[in-house]
Each structure stands twice: as C-alpha cells, then as structure tokens.
Amino acid sequence: MKISVLIATALIALIPFHKTMAQTEKKQIAARLNHIAVYVTDLEKSTAFYKDVFEFTQIPEPFHDGRHTWFSLGSAGQLHLIQGAKGKGNFDKNEHLCFSVGAIDTFIEKIKDKDIAYENWAGAAQSVTLRVDGIKQIYFQDPDGHWLEVNDDH
C-alpha cells in the first residue's frame, strides 16, 4: 500500500513538469512571419519604388548576386524583392500586401506627387474606402502589378 502511495505522489509531482514541457514544445513550434518574397522584373526599379513610396530601410542580403533586395519591416519581418519575373502580372486585388501608415491623407499626397494612381476597394479611381470599423484604405500597384493596400489602422 505504501508503494502505491509513493508512486501516486511521484506522478502528481511530475504534473507541473509535464505542463512546463508541453508549454515549451508549443513555444518552439509557434510560427511567426519571417519574410515576404516578391518576384519582380526590374530589381532596380522595384527597389526604388518600395524605398521611395514606403521609406523602408534596406538591409544586407546574403547572396550578393544583384538579384535580391531586402528591406526591414521592423518586428513584422522582412520584404525580399527577387529579380527574375518574366513580365508584369495580372494579379487579383484580393491577393495583396498591406501596410499601415499614421496619416493616410499625407500618404495619399505623397503618392499623388509621384503620379501613382490609387483606388478604393470597388475600383473607383482616386477614392478611399471607409471600412465598417472606421479604417480608411486605398489600393495601388507596384511596378510589376502586385496589389498594395495602405490603411490607417494603428
């Protein structure tokens, strides 16, 4: 009888250890965004576009082959531009990258100054979508036709 009590006590003592191990395993397999890769036709043109429009900080890339540009997206990860696309794509607006800015009106003025056409979700030129939650958003395309959303979600 004493042995079964000792075994039960030992098993109960292991429960916190088991929970800690399970939590550690979950943390080890939890995923986070590392980078987004965008295939482009003209690396120099696309690099200038993303740098000028979004003011992303260019970071070193390990290949040094003239086919890659990497940008930091802060804690969100990185944006990798990769030279090699065969031509401008015909992308669906549902498949887009979205970036948030502090003041969308200021951002709109910036892209107007750069002659970048934008539209709302429905496709009305030079218009802003007001989502049901009060977030303003616009859509436009990069040099290769990839859709980009910019909103004022904080």
Side-chain angles (χ1 to χ4, degrees), residues 56-131:
F56 291 147
T57 301
Q58 192 169 339
I59 58 175
E61 53 85 10
F63 304 106
H64 308 290
D65 60 5
R67 296 187 59 236
H68 299 83
T69 297
W70 287 13
F71 292 106
S72 172
L73 300 177
S75 62
Q78 300 171 356
L79 174 65
H80 296 177
L81 303 180
I82 305 169
Q83 173 81 37
K86 301 296 182 219
K88 184 175 178 177
N90 184 19
F91 300 101
D92 190 288
K93 194 187 292 185
N94 282 301
E95 187 177 330
H96 61 270
L97 300 177
C98 179
F99 302 103
S100 295
V101 295
I104 198 157
D105 295 330
T106 303
F107 184 83
I108 289 171
E109 289 305 315
K110 179 180 183 173
I111 64 171
K112 279 183 181 177
D113 289 346
K114 296 180 180 302
D115 293 322
I116 297 172
Y118 68 94
E119 60 188 51
N120 66 10
W121 177 252
Q126 310 303 92
S127 297
V128 177
T129 298
L130 180 61
R131 292 188 339 205

